[in-house]
Amino acid sequence: AAMFYPAAVMTVAVGILALLMIVVVPKFKVIFADMLDGASMPAFTTFILSISDTIRNYSVMEVAFFPYYIPGPVIWAVVALLIVFKLVLRTKAGRRLFDKLKMVFPLLGPVISKVAISRFTRTLGTLVSSGVPILQALTIVRETSGNVVVGEAVAAVHESVKEGETITAPLEASNVFPPMVISMVDVGEQSGALPEMLMKIADNFDEEVDNAVSAMTSLLEPIMIVFLAVIVGSIVIALFLPLITLIDKLGSEGGGGGKGGGDD
């Protein structure tokens, strides 16, 4: 839901840029060829025109049958990487590594961690408050955690409770849950209000996730504006450079003609 607006803006922006590069820029290429009369165009303008030619020459049929226009080794390398990635994710170690990387990934990692913690505490709190035995509730939470790292932490909690120990110790040893969560779980466990405390933790983390997503969405909008401004500005500059070259050429010719007239 948060990505709907940026995705819509990027879709419209890509359409506008495609229109510029396919329809507008080629017309300027013809105009520049006539105006400059064989003179070389600026390197940046030539670069933009070459990109436009590449996009125009890449027809719809080539897009539909792109494997025939891409070198075979590139295709097989991409396919092999995808297959290896899928196979690695099916292993426990690969899935654990992937989930661990997701939780430490810049910007998105903290949000993913908070979502996992919120899901864990809300599910466990709902089950316990509904009268489900704690061991059975922990088993359900482990199977529905959606994250191997969190699932292993819940499994450690299950074994601790099974042996008559507390929930707090394995949570702290997992290095997954922040100190605030551990402290609140400890207080809830000692006071006999564990379900209520778990639901408060879930509400708090849900609010933090909403705030983080809103902040990232707000940050994404100016980044997109700057990105589009740079691209469109580059196209405009590339189209103006030949005009500047032409003006300088005409000025040189005009100055030379005036000097010659004075000598006569």
Side-chain angles (χ1 to χ4, degrees):
M3 289 300 296
F4 178 79
Y5 173 71
V9 172
M10 288 303 297
T11 301
V12 175
V14 169
I16 294 174
L17 291 175
L19 180 65
L20 288 174
M21 299 300 287
I22 295 174
V23 178
V24 178
V25 173
K27 293 183 178 179
F28 276 90
K29 181 179 181 180
V30 177
I31 295 173
F32 293 153
D34 295 336
M35 292 173 59
L36 295 176
D37 193 19
S40 61
M41 284 186 290
F44 187 61
T45 302
T46 304
F47 174 69
I48 295 297
L49 293 178
S50 64
I51 294 177
S52 175
D53 291 338
T54 303
I55 295 175
R56 291 178 65 230
N57 294 332
Y58 205 67
S59 63
V60 176
M61 292 299 294
E62 289 174 328
V63 173
F65 300 99
F66 71 92
Y68 299 103
Y69 296 88
I70 299 178
V74 176
I75 298 174
W76 288 114
V78 173
V79 172
L81 286 175
L82 291 176
I83 293 175
V84 170
F85 180 71
K86 290 290 185 181
L87 292 176
V88 169
L89 284 184
R90 290 185 179 182
T91 64
K92 185 175 181 180
R95 185 68 188 182
R96 185 182 188 281
L97 178 62
F98 181 67
D99 288 343
K100 183 68 175 179
L101 291 176
K102 287 194 302 183
M103 297 179 73
V104 298
F105 195 80
L107 294 179
L108 295 178
V111 177
I112 294 174
S113 299
K114 290 175 182 179
V115 169
I117 294 172
S118 173
R119 182 180 299 170
F120 158 71
T121 53
R122 188 173 298 280
T123 305
L124 182 60
T126 301
L127 292 173
V128 173
S129 62
S130 300
V132 179
I134 184 65
L135 291 177
Q136 184 179 353
L138 288 170
T139 302
I140 296 172
V141 172
R142 181 186 60 190
E143 295 174 352
T144 60
S145 62
N147 189 297
V148 174
V149 178
V150 176
E152 291 178 351
V154 176
V157 174
H158 182 278
E159 293 301 320
S160 177
V161 173
K162 187 177 181 180
E163 295 176 1
E165 303 293 334
T166 63
I167 297 176
T168 308
L171 287 181
E172 187 174 3
S174 66
N175 293 324
V176 175
F177 301 91
M180 187 270 291
V181 174
I182 297 172
S183 299
M184 292 184 70
V185 170
D186 187 24
V187 171
E189 192 175 19
Q190 293 181 7
S191 62
L194 182 60
E196 293 81 359
M197 197 64 70
L198 290 172
M199 298 302 287
K200 289 181 179 180
I201 295 173
D203 292 338
N204 182 48
F205 274 84
D206 283 342
E207 184 178 355
E208 290 188 11
V209 168
D210 291 338
N211 294 335
V213 171
S214 299
M216 285 191 292
T217 305
S218 301
L219 181 63
L220 190 61
E221 294 177 7
I223 291 176
M224 289 193 310
I225 293 173
V226 172
F227 174 72
L228 295 175
V230 169
I231 293 180
V232 176
S234 299
I235 296 175
V236 172
I237 292 173
L239 297 181
F240 267 100
L241 285 177
L243 299 178
I244 297 174
T245 303
L246 181 61
I247 292 172
D248 291 340
K249 181 180 179 182
L250 293 175
S252 300
E253 293 177 355
K259 184 177 180 181
D263 292 340
D264 291 341

